[in-house]
Amino acid sequence: MKIVLSCCVALVFSVFVLLGLGSEPVQAGTTFVTIGTGGLTGVYYPTGGAIARIVNKKRKAYGIRCTVESTGGSVFNVNAVMTGDLDFGIVQSDRQYQAMTGVAEWANKGPQKDLRAVFSIHPESVTLVAAVDSGIDTFADLKGKRVNIGNPGSGQRQNAIDAFWANGMDYKKDLMAEGVKAAEAPGLLQDGRIDAFFYTVGHPSGAIKEATAGKRKVRFIAIPNVDKLTAQFPYYAGAAVPIRSYPGAVNKADVSTFGVKATLVTSSKVPEAVVYAIAKEVFENLESFKKLHPAFAALNKQDMLEGLSVPIHKGALKYYKEAGLK
Ligand code: GLU
């Protein structure tokens, strides 16, 4: 009997430890919410962590406990939010627009009518990193090279395809396109197994630091014909890769490219009170939130309500109205 009892105690204890609840008893009625992010060396993962940290400070008041999951990126996050596997996801603004209109990866599934916006976050630039010894000095030099365009499920994959389109190239014919996750690309580049990779990411990012700090020297490659992209696609804008974050790269000046914004999305099925709490806590603690990652440095409340294509979730809207922001 004693043995059975201590086994039970040990089991309950390990469940608590596994759930990360060891330090504090769980309130009856705690709502667990998960935010889908991206690779561990991207900016989405620490962004999810920053949101969770701010919201979890008030877990007694709201009864919400927020956790973060590393995922394959924007497209994966939209789909997992739509199936209910995730409550929230960080998603590129262009991917939000495509999911709303039922194009790109959603061409077969159609418009994702239950997708809702919460707020937008940091800017992301389409970042192209190439090994100096691969002989890639310009975008056109990607011809015939082994280039990681991103895993299916990532945001960057379509951005890379669009960049090739704007420059009269076909990624299926003109190069050897790889489809690995961004977190693996810096290692493959340093090992000489790829010549270049694309990553649509905020700066500074761990993955780009890793790629630029290795033995194999690398440079950022500018993406030409951004005008053609912005004329064709309403969600793209000109952007730059700030080289001050990456002293190991050989470039001497910021590199021109195009960009999007990271946004937080959810489903219309997620309860109003949960989305209200997340919007309110991030907005009311924005100065503390901004200190949690250098990519947040320029955030302000008005901008965080821009770049959203799908309707704002009613819980978030309730807060924005109360705060006089909408
Ligand atoms: N923009 C990337 C994507 O949507 C993720 C970037 C990041 O994790 O910071 O897949």
Side-chain angles (χ1 to χ4, degrees):
M1 185 61 197
K2 235 184 181 164
I3 295 173
V4 173
L5 194 68
S6 51
C7 279
C8 285
V9 171
L11 189 71
V12 169
F13 182 73
S14 44
V15 166
F16 265 60
V17 170
L18 273 177
L19 291 173
L21 308 173
S23 52
E24 210 173 308
V26 188
Q27 266 177 276
T30 296
T31 306
F32 289 85
V33 297
T34 306
I35 305 174
T37 59
L40 296 182
T41 51
V43 179
Y44 286 8
Y45 189 72
T47 299
I51 296 170
R53 190 170 155 173
I54 296 277
V55 174
N56 287 343
K57 277 194 180 151
K58 292 279 183 68
R59 62 181 170 265
K60 289 220 174 80
Y62 293 116
I64 294 171
R65 187 168 168 98
C66 199
T67 56
V68 170
E69 206 172 280
S70 169
T71 74
S74 286
V75 174
F76 177 94
N77 294 342
V78 167
N79 293 336
V81 166
M82 290 297 84
T83 56
D85 289 331
L86 290 172
D87 306 289
F88 293 88
I90 307 179
V91 168
Q92 289 178 201
S93 48
D94 52 327
R95 302 317 221 142
Q96 196 189 117
Y97 180 96
Q98 292 164 346
M100 176 194 74
T101 49
V103 299
E105 277 88 340
W106 297 276
N108 293 332
K109 292 183 188 164
Q112 302 300 294
K113 295 207 174 75
D114 290 331
L115 194 62
R116 293 290 177 272
V118 187
F119 47 72
S120 72
I121 325 169
H122 57 279
E124 300 186 87
S125 47
V126 181
T127 305
L128 174 57
V129 184
V132 169
D133 63 16
S134 68
I136 303 169
D137 293 325
T138 67
F139 194 89
D141 296 333
L142 292 173
K143 204 161 189 166
K145 302 292 185 197
R146 195 171 287 279
V147 183
N148 186 42
I149 63 168
N151 57 297
S154 72
Q156 56 269 6
R157 193 176 170 90
Q158 189 64 43
N159 304 143
I161 293 170
D162 292 343
F164 286 116
W165 167 82
N167 287 282
M169 287 163 80
D170 179 347
Y171 77 98
K172 287 188 184 141
K173 287 195 215 129
D174 295 328
L175 51 135
M176 289 176 278
E178 298 287 346
V180 304
K181 288 186 174 174
E184 292 165 33
L188 294 176
L189 189 79
Q190 284 299 329
D191 291 348
R193 288 161 63 195
I194 55 172
D195 300 307
F197 70 86
F198 284 86
Y199 194 15
T200 303
V201 70
H203 297 290
S205 103
I208 307 294
K209 280 190 177 163
E210 188 187 337
T212 53
K215 249 183 144 170
R216 200 179 183 201
K217 284 286 154 211
V218 303
R219 68 161 52 91
F220 297 109
I221 304 293
I223 302 190
N225 294 321
V226 167
D227 292 0
K228 197 170 162 188
L229 285 165
T230 52
Q232 178 78 10
F233 304 108
Y235 38 73
Y236 288 148
V241 177
I243 60 148
R244 68 175 179 282
S245 310
Y246 309 108
V250 303
N251 308 71
K252 297 273 174 280
D254 288 357
V255 179
S256 70
T257 180
F258 62 108
V260 293
K261 263 178 134 186
T263 71
L264 184 70
V265 301
T266 187
S267 158
S268 59
K269 298 190 177 108
V270 170
E272 190 173 320
V274 171
V275 188
Y276 175 87
I278 290 192
K280 178 169 169 141
E281 290 312 312
V282 171
F283 272 65
E284 298 209 332
N285 297 287
L286 192 57
E287 290 314 309
S288 323
F289 179 79
K290 281 164 68 171
K291 293 198 182 92
L292 297 176
H293 198 287
F296 305 156
L299 293 186
N300 69 67
K301 292 180 184 177
Q302 275 310 333
D303 284 355
M304 289 173 78
L305 299 179
E306 305 291 329
L308 307 171
S309 304
V310 298
I312 295 178
H313 188 284
K314 57 182 191 303
L317 199 58
K318 182 177 166 209
Y319 169 69
Y320 301 141
K321 285 197 170 140
E322 270 175 27
L325 293 162
K326 276 274 171 198

